[in-house]
Amino acid sequence: MIPTPRRAARPYTRTAVLAGRYGLVHLAGELDLETVPAVRDAVRRCLDNRPARLRIDISGVSFCDCSGLGALLWAKAEAARAGTGFHLSGPPQPTVARVLDATGAAAHLGLAPQPAEGKRR
């Protein structure tokens, strides 16, 4: 039997703007080439409300490839262009933390370094 190719499901996204001041985009699922358009759409919808600060919660993201990483960097740049503060929050799942730490994107996006698996601080 030949396995069928895995199709990435659209990520679960939830956006909210609270009191016109704070925007939240909560992501869950896989962040990859097929799901990036939904993420970008969620960020645009949130920024359309002109929040003072945009927070993207990636604690529910189980996988992130280079296109997903690009979407997070794009979101920070879009927030800056809109005059909106940006905050990436987690904690990220271990596979996502490795991508962010290995590329240096964690520091660039303002995410605190995550302890390596199996090690305590």
Side-chain angles (χ1 to χ4, degrees), residues 5-65:
R6 181 181 68 87
R7 287 188 46 98
R10 290 178 61 101
Y12 168 77
T13 61
R14 178 178 63 215
T15 60
V17 175
L18 308 173
R21 300 212 39 184
Y22 302 102
L24 168 67
V25 176
H26 174 80
L27 302 176
E30 297 182 0
L31 187 49
D32 60 17
L33 185 61
E34 288 190 35
T35 61
V36 162
V39 172
R40 286 182 176 228
D41 185 53
V43 169
R44 283 187 192 107
R45 281 192 322 256
C46 196
L47 290 175
D48 284 347
N49 291 301
R50 301 286 185 222
R53 188 161 187 79
L54 171 63
R55 180 177 145 221
I56 298 183
D57 180 355
I58 61 166
S59 61
V61 175
S62 58
F63 173 81
C64 182
D65 69 5

Side-chain angles (χ1 to χ4, degrees), residues 65-111:
D65 69 5
C66 60
S67 58
L69 178 60
L72 295 175
L73 295 168
W74 170 86
K76 181 178 181 181
E78 285 297 296
R81 275 191 274 284
T84 298
F86 180 86
H87 177 72
L88 186 67
S89 66
Q93 294 186 26
T95 56
V96 176
R98 281 193 293 276
V99 169
L100 294 172
D101 290 338
T103 60
H108 179 71
L109 293 168
L111 190 65

